[in-house]
Amino acid sequence: MTTISRTSPRLIVPAPDRASAFYQDALGAEQVFRAPPGDDGRPSVVDHRIGGTSFRVSPAVSSWGWLSPSDLGGSAVLLEIEVDDPDAVGERMIAHGADAVVPIENRPYGKRSGRVRDPFGHLWIITGELR
């Protein structure tokens, strides 16, 4: 069996540079690579790192089957991040254009969590320790 060394989600968005700026500002993501712009002026991929994890942002290209949440009528994936202060992260995301979907509150399963939709339609569960 082949060993998988890493899995990196790739978020499909209409505007990769705008999305990259949002993730840097709202989540503190570090941009570690940006491909040169293609014929349409958009980079084909922008790599980011948050803590010990990474994710990529790429433009929606329907002919490749790369569809954004708005193309699909909603997000098909939930991205979950565990943070020290879920309230602060949620507030920062909302201040940068995200929408609250489920309030960040203490949950009966022993975590403080909630859900936001980023400006590009991706859903994020923000979770941390109870307050």
Side-chain angles (χ1 to χ4, degrees), residues 2-120:
T2 301
T3 301
I4 297 171
S5 61
R6 171 177 103 143
T7 300
S8 297
R10 187 176 294 217
L11 307 180
I12 305 301
V13 298
D17 287 325
R18 269 191 32 230
S20 179
F22 171 83
Y23 299 127
Q24 289 175 69
D25 294 341
L27 295 175
E30 173 190 3
Q31 182 177 304
V32 294
F33 173 78
R34 180 185 181 281
D39 293 340
D40 64 0
R42 302 178 302 174
S44 61
V45 66
V46 183
D47 287 336
H48 299 84
R49 184 169 295 122
I50 299 176
T53 62
S54 62
F55 68 96
R56 297 175 172 164
V57 174
S58 288
V61 182
S62 61
S63 63
W64 295 354
W66 290 11
L67 304 175
S68 71
S70 62
D71 296 326
L72 297 171
S75 180
V77 174
L78 291 170
L79 299 149
E80 186 168 346
I81 55 175
E82 189 163 335
V83 297
D84 292 337
D85 188 345
D87 296 274
V89 172
E91 289 167 10
R92 194 168 56 241
M93 290 180 78
I94 290 166
H96 285 89
D99 295 315
V101 176
V102 175
I104 296 172
E105 299 173 341
N106 289 341
R107 303 291 171 187
Y109 46 83
K111 292 288 187 178
R112 183 164 184 82
S113 67
R115 193 173 332 132
V116 300
R117 180 179 297 108
D118 72 28
F120 313 97

